[in-house]
């Protein structure tokens, strides 16, 4: 008995000593992290502000904004990539036992961020920053023209969505690809500089670096993407067959082509074909048009507020840049939607070119998802360093989820966008949704991700950029260009993300998979409604659930979070179940039709 007491006392003494050592260590680390976080926030403000200015106001021949942005980026790089910070984080990580999970996460985040800006490769980093700014200016400063007349990206999208004259469609599509020519050299240069930068801290290449943010290897990510594409392939193959025949009918083409001509599709990259189907009685475009662009963004906010999110801060409305530049403006702006966390705190803004149509209705909900994610994790519990999504896909998923929910019939009825009691064909609705969400999977898991993998990990030669892009489009999406596209073009670079969101497009693929998983959980377990026909509006439980995912930011493990919240691991099961009723319908529609989608490799 006595002996036991002695042993216990010794253990207590030992663990007390250990606790003391742990506490001392923890407080030393905390002092360091506090000072890092403070400077990190200051630099984010600086970089975001200059970058914002540059992207909302691009004037040909005036590089004032670009120069200011480069300077800020260099300052940010100098701090985040400093050898002193790298050594500190590494030193603390050598003795992880006494540290808290939150501290470990922050130290790892410091190293992750450092790898993109290592001081030891200062010249490479500086050159990359300059090249990145230039590429963004070239991409968004570009003057699109049809028949010699300047047109906006929105104009091109409208033509591709509505025009039935094939000659006019061809012009619009070709015009949209002109910008790529001037981006090719810049992309090749950026590839080299991005790879070199991250190789400094031991990453294989830039793709490998970006994937590592998920705690995964490139091989694991590729296998996961392949699996999701395979899961959705049977359905996509039916959609591909259906679309070829229906588009041929629509354009009055007698011979149905084996591969879909890219200029037949309602989106510049063929990533969303949903406008092929009109659901009788449910016309969102017609419903939102008279309401106007401002209504769309305000309505997005109302939806979030209805489920318990706060109103957007006043500064959001004052400082955001939400609508297209006026016709004839002497400047251009980034025409791709984005959401910004300017000060990693309350200054949240969105950059969009909203027009009153269903596309922007969906996109506005998506962007507000990012904004509410920012707001939800901007709390004292989440250090600046971890004010990010549980992973990047979560950040993309939650706003898209709200966008999808806001397009379901009971929601639209409730909002008065369609008359109450509207009878509509459920199969057509599901088909329309599949032409958006399912069609996106081969584009995102395949064409985009495989191109970027080839680009960064396999050093794709610059004289094969266009050839490879179209090989992948054929293989994954069953799409071909309308005419031979030589290497003078760089059609991949016409996609924003290839230039300024490099090696991350799989985020969106995973976000769609995740979206259906979360939606399935919300519909069945919170709303007790059919996932195909829900109405989230005004439901505080739904809001609590979504906020519950958002509020922890990147403080935890994303897989654990998903299991905690939905009870399952990341899987396409919910998405497959959602679209399952479509399979028989499409098989019936496609009876006697030729299936030409290439087999999976
Ligand atoms: O780029 C976006 C967002 C940016 S925050 C608008 N999306 C992808 C795309 O447009 O290609 C949303 C879904 C796919
Ligand atoms: Zn997004």
């Amino acid at each position: 008995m006595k002996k036991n007491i002695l042993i216990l006392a010794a253990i207590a003494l030992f663990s007390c000593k250990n606790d003391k050592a742990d506490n001392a260590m923890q407080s030393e680390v905390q002092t360091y992290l506090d000072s890092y976080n403070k400077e990190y926030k200051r630099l984010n403000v600086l970089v975001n502000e200059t970058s914002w200015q540059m992207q909302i106001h691009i004037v040909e021949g005036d590089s004032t904004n670009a120069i200011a942005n480069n300077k800020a980026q260099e300052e940010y790089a100098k701090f985040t990539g400093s050898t002193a910070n790298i050594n500190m984080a590494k030193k603390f990580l050598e003795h992880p036992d006494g540290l808290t999970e939150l501290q470990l996460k922050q130290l790892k985040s410091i190293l992750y961020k450092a790898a993109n800006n290592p001081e030891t490769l200062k010249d490479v980093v500086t050159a990359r920053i300059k090249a990145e700014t230039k590429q963004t200016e070239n991409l968004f400063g570009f003057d699109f023209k049809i028949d010699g007349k300047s047109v906006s990206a929105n104009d091109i999208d409208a033509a591709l969505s509505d025009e039935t004259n094939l000659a006019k469609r061809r012009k619009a599509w070709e015009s949209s690809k002109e910008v790529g020519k001037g981006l090719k050299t810049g992309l090749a240069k950026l590839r080299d500089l991005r790879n070199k930068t991250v190789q400094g801290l031991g990453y294989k290449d830039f793709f490998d670096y970006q994937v590592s943010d998920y705690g995964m290897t490139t091989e694991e990510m590729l296998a996961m993407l392949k699996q999701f594409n395979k899961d959705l392939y049977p359905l996509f193959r039916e959609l591909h067959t259906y679309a070829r025949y229906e588009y041929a009918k629509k354009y009055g083409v007698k011979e149905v082509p084996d591969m879909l001509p890219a200029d037949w599709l309602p989106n510049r990259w063929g990533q969303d074909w949903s406008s092929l189907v009109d659901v009788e009685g449910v016309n969102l475009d017609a419903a939102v048009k008279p309401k106007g662009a401002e209504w769309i963004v305000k309505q997005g906010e109302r939806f979030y507020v209805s489920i318990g999110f706060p109103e957007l801060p006043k500064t959001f409305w004052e400082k955001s840049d939400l609508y297209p530049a006026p016709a004839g403006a002497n400047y251009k702006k980034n025409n791709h939607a984005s959401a910004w966390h300017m000060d990693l705190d309350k200054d949240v803004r969105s950059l969009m070119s909203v027009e009153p149509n269903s596309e922007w209705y969906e996109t506005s909900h998506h962007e507000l998802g990012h904004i509410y994610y920012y707001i939800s994790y901007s709390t004292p519990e989440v250090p600046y360093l971890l004010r990010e999504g549980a992973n990047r896909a979560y950040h993309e998923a939650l706003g898209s989820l709200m966008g999808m929910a806001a397009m379901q019939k009971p929601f639209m009825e409730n909002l008065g966008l369609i008359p109450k009691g509207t009878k509509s064909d459920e199969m057509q609705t599901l088909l329309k949704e599949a032409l958006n969400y399912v069609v996106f999977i081969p584009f995102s898991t395949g064409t985009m991700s495989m191109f970027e993998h080839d680009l960064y990990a396999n050093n794709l030669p610059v004289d094969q950029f266009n050839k490879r892009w179209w090989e992948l489009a054929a293989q994954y999406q069953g799409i071909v260009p309308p005419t031979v596209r030589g290497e003078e073009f760089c059609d991949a670079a016409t996609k924003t993300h290839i230039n300024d969101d490099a090696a991350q497009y799989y985020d969106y693929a995973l976000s769609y998979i995740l979206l259906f998983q979360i939606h399935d959980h919300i519909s069945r377990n919170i709303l007790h409604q059919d996932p195909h026909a829900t109405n989230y509006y005004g439901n505080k439980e739904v809001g609590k659930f979504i906020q519950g995912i958002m509020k922890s930011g990147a403080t935890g493990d994303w897989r654990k979070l998903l299991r905690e919240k939905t009870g399952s691991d990341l899987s396409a099961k919910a998405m497959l179940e959602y679209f399952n009723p479509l399979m028989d319908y499409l098989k019936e529609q496609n009876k006697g039709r030729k299936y030409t989608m290439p087999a999976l490799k």
Side-chain angles (χ1 to χ4, degrees):
M1 193 70 185
K2 251 195 179 161
K3 203 174 147 200
N4 280 350
I5 287 172
L6 267 180
I7 291 171
L8 280 178
I11 290 174
L13 194 69
F14 180 72
S15 63
C16 182
K17 265 195 177 162
N18 254 4
D19 281 354
K20 270 200 186 141
D22 283 0
N23 285 343
M25 190 63 176
Q26 274 177 20
S27 83
E28 188 187 343
V29 170
Q30 201 50 49
T31 307
Y32 167 68
L33 287 176
D34 287 346
S35 94
Y36 186 104
N37 272 296
K38 196 165 163 228
E39 181 64 356
Y40 179 67
K41 178 194 154 87
R42 185 187 75 79
L43 290 166
N44 264 277
V45 173
L46 188 73
V47 159
N48 285 331
E49 200 62 65
T50 53
S51 178
W52 173 264
Q53 285 307 328
M54 189 195 99
Q55 297 200 27
I56 62 169
H57 203 92
I58 305 170
V59 180
E60 212 190 329
D62 179 359
S63 46
T64 323
N65 287 344
I67 291 168
N69 185 231
N70 285 343
K71 205 169 148 261
Q73 298 281 2
E74 281 169 35
E75 203 179 328
Y76 175 92
K78 191 171 171 211
F79 175 73
T80 53
S82 85
T83 306
N85 274 325
I86 295 172
N87 289 344
M88 269 307 222
K90 276 191 179 158
K91 186 187 96 181
F92 290 137
L93 280 169
E94 273 167 20
H95 307 283
D97 290 349
L99 303 183
T100 67
E101 279 303 312
L102 196 63
Q103 291 179 325
L104 290 172
K105 265 249 158 186
Q106 289 175 81
L107 292 169
K108 285 179 193 159
S109 169
I110 288 174
L111 284 185
Y112 180 74
K113 290 174 173 87
N116 204 25
N117 293 317
E119 184 185 337
T120 41
L121 292 169
K122 186 170 173 288
D123 292 346
V124 179
V125 172
T126 308
R128 192 205 66 221
I129 289 170
K130 223 170 138 194
E132 270 169 347
T133 305
K134 191 87 219 109
Q135 191 80 345
T136 301
E137 277 194 322
N138 288 345
L139 173 62
F140 296 115
F142 188 78
D143 195 24
F144 293 104
K145 286 200 165 87
I146 297 183
D147 291 332
K149 201 173 148 270
S150 291
V151 290
S152 68
N154 274 348
D155 294 335
I156 293 178
D157 290 345
L160 292 178
S161 152
D162 306 333
E163 186 57 66
T164 50
N165 176 308
L166 279 180
K168 288 189 183 164
R169 294 192 62 84
R170 171 81 57 95
K171 274 190 185 173
W173 186 87
E174 283 178 346
S175 146
S176 81
K177 300 294 153 190
E178 279 299 297
V179 59
K181 289 178 178 169
L183 296 168
K184 190 166 191 167
T185 321
L187 180 60
K189 188 171 171 182
L190 276 171
R191 179 262 307 275
D192 293 343
L193 291 168
R194 284 171 176 153
N195 275 347
K196 262 194 206 146
T197 311
V198 297
Q199 281 159 355
L201 249 67
Y203 291 93
K204 281 193 288 192
D205 52 74
F206 195 70
F207 193 90
D208 189 51
Y209 169 67
Q210 291 291 4
V211 167
S212 76
D213 205 18
Y214 284 80
M216 291 167 78
T217 63
T218 294
E219 288 65 37
E220 286 165 343
M221 180 58 82
L222 294 182
M224 189 156 156
L225 297 176
K226 193 171 175 183
Q227 182 60 47
F228 288 145
N229 193 47
K230 190 173 162 203
D231 290 342
L232 272 310
Y233 177 83
L235 194 50
F236 178 71
R237 184 167 168 266
E238 296 296 334
L239 291 167
H240 181 258
T241 309
Y242 179 84
R244 280 167 38 239
Y245 283 81
E246 295 303 314
Y247 276 123
K249 232 190 277 172
K250 181 172 173 174
Y251 300 131
V253 175
K254 288 225 170 56
E255 199 164 323
V256 178
D258 284 354
M259 292 279 129
L260 275 165
D263 59 339
W264 283 21
L265 301 169
N267 169 282
R268 282 176 265 167
W269 306 275
Q271 69 188 63
D272 173 1
W273 312 342
S274 54
S275 69
L276 171 61
V277 168
D278 287 323
V279 182
E280 226 185 287
V282 186
N283 187 340
L284 185 56
D285 278 300
V288 300
K289 196 167 177 204
K291 298 195 178 281
E294 285 83 1
W295 179 87
I296 287 196
V297 191
K298 278 278 176 200
Q299 176 49 40
E301 181 194 30
R302 273 195 290 278
F303 180 18
Y304 282 89
V305 170
S306 86
I307 61 172
F309 283 93
E311 278 180 11
L312 290 168
K314 213 164 129 252
T315 51
F316 172 86
W317 299 106
E318 290 162 358
K319 296 185 170 180
S320 287
D321 193 315
L322 300 172
Y323 310 106
N330 64 352
Y331 67 93
K332 297 219 181 278
K333 61 181 264 193
N334 181 336
N335 56 47
H336 192 82
S338 53
W340 299 55
H341 202 185
M342 301 298 294
D343 60 350
L344 299 179
D345 200 1
K346 303 280 178 282
D347 187 354
V348 288
R349 301 181 204 171
S350 179
L351 170 46
M352 293 196 270
S353 297
V354 181
E355 289 190 347
N357 58 38
S358 55
E359 274 284 319
W360 280 110
Y361 176 83
E362 188 182 357
T363 301
S364 295
H365 284 86
H366 175 95
E367 296 312 328
L368 290 190
H370 289 304
I371 298 288
Y372 278 111
Y373 216 140
Y374 299 149
I375 291 174
S376 301
Y377 56 54
S378 291
T379 63
E381 287 78 44
V382 184
Y384 294 122
L385 261 167
L386 302 178
R387 292 190 180 178
E388 292 170 0
N391 65 30
R392 297 192 308 255
Y394 276 77
H395 228 301
E396 298 304 335
L398 296 172
S400 287
L401 166 72
M402 292 289 278
M404 183 186 82
M407 289 165 94
Q408 288 199 329
K409 201 170 106 183
F411 181 98
M412 292 203 285
E413 273 177 331
N414 176 61
L415 215 64
L417 288 173
I418 52 171
K420 282 222 157 68
T422 298
K423 296 250 176 307
S424 62
D425 186 329
E426 285 167 21
M427 202 52 85
Q428 290 303 299
T429 303
L430 195 58
L431 176 57
K432 192 174 178 67
E433 289 177 321
L435 289 166
N436 181 357
Y437 302 102
V438 177
V439 160
F440 185 70
I441 295 298
F443 175 66
S444 52
T445 61
T447 312
M448 283 293 283
S449 295
M450 296 310 146
F451 180 82
E452 292 202 290
H453 179 255
D454 277 352
L455 184 67
Y456 292 101
N458 298 337
N459 265 313
L460 184 67
V462 67
D463 62 0
Q464 290 177 30
F465 281 12
N466 225 35
K467 177 170 159 275
R468 187 67 186 134
W469 174 256
W470 287 109
E471 273 170 15
L472 291 166
Q475 182 187 332
Y476 286 100
Q477 297 173 273
I479 295 177
V480 289
T483 55
V484 176
R485 308 279 297 172
E487 292 299 329
E488 69 275 28
F489 296 104
C490 185
D491 294 324
T494 66
K495 185 76 191 156
T496 305
H497 309 69
I498 295 280
N499 305 288
D500 68 7
D501 208 26
Q504 297 170 59
Y505 206 78
Y506 45 82
D507 294 355
Y508 296 105
L510 303 183
S511 83
Y512 277 28
I513 302 287
L514 188 57
L515 177 169
F516 279 95
Q517 235 172 308
I518 297 175
H519 175 69
D520 191 71
H521 178 84
I522 290 177
S523 320
R524 293 181 202 279
N525 303 328
I526 301 179
L527 295 171
H528 307 289
Q529 293 171 3
D530 174 359
H532 301 97
T534 65
N535 179 14
Y536 288 21
Y537 204 89
N539 193 298
K540 301 280 190 288
E541 280 302 306
V542 172
K544 218 156 96 195
F545 179 76
I546 295 175
Q547 257 172 320
I549 297 176
M550 290 178 166
K551 71 172 190 218
S552 50
T555 56
D557 176 282
W558 68 265
R559 294 176 196 271
K560 216 169 115 201
L561 183 68
L562 188 59
R563 248 175 267 132
E564 247 169 53
K565 297 290 173 189
T566 67
S568 40
D569 292 326
L570 190 62
S571 124
K573 187 168 163 272
M575 186 168 182
L576 287 170
E577 256 175 45
Y578 188 94
F579 289 109
N580 189 42
L582 205 54
M583 235 4 217
D584 286 344
Y585 171 80
L586 283 173
K587 277 189 184 151
E588 187 59 35
Q589 296 297 308
N590 289 335
K591 235 181 211 158
R593 290 174 171 174
K594 187 175 158 199
Y595 287 77
T596 50
M597 191 53 212
L600 281 180
K601 276 191 194 160

